[in-house]
Amino acid sequence: MFRAHCLLVALRRCSSAPCPRHPQVARLSVQEAQEAQELAGDVKVQGWVRSVRSHKEVLFLHINDGSSLANLQVVGDPTMENRDLTFGSAVEVQGKLIRSLHKKQNVELKAENIRVIGPCDNLKFPFKTRERHPLEYTRQFPHLRCRTNILSSLLRVRSEATAAIHSFFKDNGYVHIHTPIITSNDCEGAGELFQVRTSDKVPEPGENPHFFNVPAFLTVSGQLHLEVMAGAFTQVFTFGPTFRAENSQSRRHLAEFYMVEAEISFTESLQDIIQVMEDLFKAATSVVLSKCPQDVELFHKYVSPAQKGRLEQMLKNKFIIISYTEAVEILKQAPQTFVFQPEWGCDLQTEHEKYLVKHCGEVPVFVINYPYDLKPFYMRDNEDEPQRTVAAVDLLVPGIGELCGGSLREERLPFLQSRLERLGLAHAYQWYLDLRQFGSTPHGGFGMGFERYLQCVLGMENIKDVIPFPRFPHSCLL
Ligand SMILES: NC(=O)C[C@H](N)C(=O)O
């Protein structure tokens, strides 16, 4: 099986990218080289040098190309060393894969030729070989920090988690929808808006000042567009960038983040929505743990030793469900004092969310049935507590607090209409009211912040370290 795989790899590489000088040379990634069982023939590996050690009789290089956390050991002749062969330089090594005698690796590459493709000025390069750089330090170099182990691991995990989330929805019969990034709706209440404008050209007399004729914004949530789609498909999801202009410097907020959102028609039960949230979390996390064991281990070893055990617990046990009313009671009886005193009707603050998770044993907790006045117009009024609570749910997780938010949506036209009228929004949301007139179904959905999800799985304190290019107040580097 492996033999066939390696031969296929070699053929694929040679036929799609034949090497003009050595047409028979298979071009392998570092990971493919490490997993190779078939060692015959010349191979070529390209990557960036992670370390150079020159002894009297042998030259050792470690190279990495982002395909795995582990570096490939290259063994060469000391005469192959040259001044450009330094930490950080881009190289191409041609040679033969041989069995390694070292316990840490199966194979190593015996170099016949080492070519420096892009030298790296070590005096100016911000990272040093074999050094662990603090995350705050690496953050200053958004254009180079992907060369560090931690960011490289993070980006592989992020990529696998993205694929796992798409697979989860695909396997469960959801249709993926590209909801717009520029929108004229503000998904009332979801967050502060960034307005989209053209450059500061003064409009000609009579010219509409707005590019789209109406004010337009970067999306804060794809929910309302997904609700449109839930009028034609029973299950839909979207997974894209979302923007909030909150002036927060916290470790949990970004001005640009990715959100996974799902909408499900023909459901009358908040329990159905809760189940999808829990299943999604567990399915994506299991895939990440099985596909990126070395990368996840790196975080759990050096960044968040407590997270490993917690994650295992999370995957094994059913998540806890409490009502908002119960949550407030728990908070009121807490032996500690909070900055914001908890009262029925007040929003839960991060300090409250973290306490609730701790109180429940550091496991994920769903809080359901929030006060009516606290939540946006689209949430469904609870029949047993009209105009007091709505069928809303937040998922709180250890170390983070709120990870997901969702609800049943108000599908009953008279309820929705009167609520929108009271808010003076009935005209602006006529299209949304239309959805309740033309084949409306009871439906609901949720959104999960993807970066918070990664923070939770990896135990990362600061959200700026789980996204390649963080955007936050006063910072838009690159
Ligand atoms: N799709 C969702 O339910 C997410 C919700 N609109 C939010 O922004 O929190």
Side-chain angles (χ1 to χ4, degrees), residues 29-300:
S29 72
V30 165
Q31 190 182 30
E32 286 165 342
Q34 281 160 341
E35 290 175 353
Q37 301 282 307
E38 174 64 71
L39 300 180
D42 269 15
V43 299
K44 183 179 276 191
V45 180
Q46 298 156 328
W48 290 267
V49 173
R50 285 299 180 88
S51 74
V52 189
R53 269 185 304 133
S54 183
H55 299 281
K56 232 179 65 250
E57 305 201 328
V58 62
L59 169 75
F60 286 115
L61 285 189
H62 282 118
I63 61 174
N64 190 288
D65 64 354
S67 57
S68 81
L69 177 63
N71 301 321
L72 179 66
Q73 174 153 290
V74 176
V75 191
D77 189 284
T79 56
M80 289 172 173
E81 195 179 12
N82 74 60
R83 160 169 89 80
D84 286 340
L85 196 59
T86 58
F87 171 63
S89 58
V91 294
E92 181 176 273
V93 182
Q94 192 188 318
K96 289 205 165 43
L97 288 173
I98 56 169
R99 286 260 164 265
S100 175
L101 297 176
H102 202 288
K103 275 203 302 287
K104 270 176 117 181
Q105 65 229 356
N106 285 333
V107 294
E108 53 194 30
L109 180 57
K110 188 159 176 11
E112 276 148 24
N113 183 35
I114 300 175
R115 190 157 70 94
V116 176
I117 291 176
C120 172
D121 182 343
N122 266 213
L123 292 175
K124 294 192 188 139
F125 194 52
F127 306 120
K128 301 280 164 268
T129 186
R130 294 172 188 282
E131 240 177 62
R132 210 162 279 290
H133 301 89
L135 291 165
E136 299 75 34
Y137 174 78
T138 61
R139 227 176 278 146
Q140 297 170 56
F141 309 99
H143 57 312
L144 294 171
R145 69 174 181 160
C146 53
R147 309 271 196 100
T148 63
N149 273 346
I150 206 93
L151 248 289
S152 173
S153 283
L154 176 268
L155 294 170
R156 274 186 299 277
V157 168
R158 205 180 148 106
S159 171
E160 284 298 346
T162 303
I165 287 167
H166 276 273
S167 298
F168 169 83
F169 284 119
K170 191 166 187 308
D171 295 347
N172 286 288
Y174 286 68
V175 174
H176 177 222
I177 303 291
H178 288 117
T179 49
I181 297 204
I182 299 177
T183 173
S184 56
N185 87 62
D186 63 358
C187 196
E188 179 67 15
E192 296 289 317
L193 299 163
F194 284 108
Q195 187 160 1
V196 176
R197 295 179 35 195
T198 50
S199 53
D200 290 333
K201 180 172 107 33
V202 179
E204 300 290 330
E207 195 186 352
N208 191 306
H210 300 294
F211 183 88
F212 299 105
N213 283 5
V214 289
F217 311 96
L218 296 182
T219 184
V220 288
S221 163
Q223 176 197 324
L224 302 189
H225 295 99
L226 277 190
E227 281 193 67
V228 169
M229 296 300 163
F233 302 93
T234 53
Q235 301 181 113
V236 285
F237 81 102
T238 191
F239 183 177
T242 315
F243 307 85
R244 306 229 170 143
E246 270 143 301
N247 197 5
S248 167
Q249 288 285 1
S250 91
R251 293 163 178 209
R252 311 187 315 150
H253 290 92
L254 287 168
E256 178 182 288
F257 63 98
Y258 278 70
M259 185 147 69
V260 182
E261 297 184 89
E263 205 63 35
I264 302 146
S265 345
F266 300 103
T267 179
E268 290 171 33
S269 139
L270 194 57
Q271 186 54 46
D272 290 350
I273 310 298
I274 288 174
Q275 194 60 51
V276 180
M277 287 158 116
E278 183 168 337
D279 290 349
L280 170 67
F281 182 94
K282 289 182 172 172
T285 307
S286 306
V287 171
V288 166
L289 292 181
S290 71
K291 294 235 169 164
C292 312
Q294 287 181 315
D295 294 311
V296 174
E297 180 68 24
L298 181 79
F299 288 91
H300 292 171

